[in-house]
Amino acid sequence: MGEPPLADLEAFAAVARARSFRGAAQGRGASPSSLSEAVRRLEARLGLRLLNRTTRSVTPTEAGQRLLERLAPALGEVSAALEALDGLRGSPSGTLRLNVPGIVARVVLPRITGRFLARYPGIVLELTVEDSFVDVLAAGCDAGIRYDESIEKDMIAVPLGPRRQRYVLAAAPAYLAAHGAPGHPREVLAHRCIRHRFLSGTMLPWEFEREGQVVRVSPEGALRANSIELEIAAAADGLGLIYGFEEVLAPLLADGRLVPLLPEWWQSFPGPCLYYAGRRHMPAPLRAFMDLLREPESRWPGAPG
């Protein structure tokens, strides 16, 4: 039978990750028909169907999923080995694919991405923003950014962004005038609240801490949404209490549109980490990104001199 061509394996992995021939083609600068032909060749060579195709979706078969799980790390090694040669040509090039949560995309990455791309013009930064934890390799990413509690133990984690962050509780003056303010975290249950609901359906409890005492409450929520913009607007309009990242609510607290509540109970927690699988050959774009993170910000491109 012989070994399948590497290009056909790469084409299959791209389609399986994108769940679409068209989507995979856009990311590779190829045509959907050429990828379809590559997958057909691979299936014929292996004697197995790897993808279930309908007019509306493309999904891996059991055999296809098993191949993808084993193939993704191997293709990553090949890509990293080739990218490692970038150092011989000068500035690194290629694509750095990161999977990040919405809060990091909003408050941490904006000050980093511009400096990174200015430093390395040969690198394309591709961000996927989602709040659920993913297998970064299976998802076709080089690394992810998450908070400590959701990082698998076999991943290498590198601190990124603020080392401590806080959740803050707040409400609009109009809401407080009509309903009063809670005097204790448990009294939050008697108030209208604006809850953040993840796409998975999960709503995390609101956790407060004071002098070692932790209080967790799960209010029903007058509004449940997965849009931070909508949640902030609702809070500013006086629709209920909001509990969110301090960096996100800070502008509204500063101008008085929101009033801080129970500040002595605000809980702090470790900031996010960049995480990736331990591999012998790290992709050159990822190594360049980590090199920038290790430097003092005063040395970043565009920093005040």
Side-chain angles (χ1 to χ4, degrees), residues 94-113:
T95 300
L96 174 59
R97 297 177 176 86
L98 299 179
N99 186 290
V100 307
I103 185 63
V104 170
R106 174 186 291 270
V107 305
V108 177
L109 285 183
R111 67 182 186 83
I112 298 176
T113 53

Side-chain angles (χ1 to χ4, degrees), residues 178-190:
H179 302 281
H184 187 276
R186 293 191 183 89
E187 295 180 14
V188 168
L189 295 171

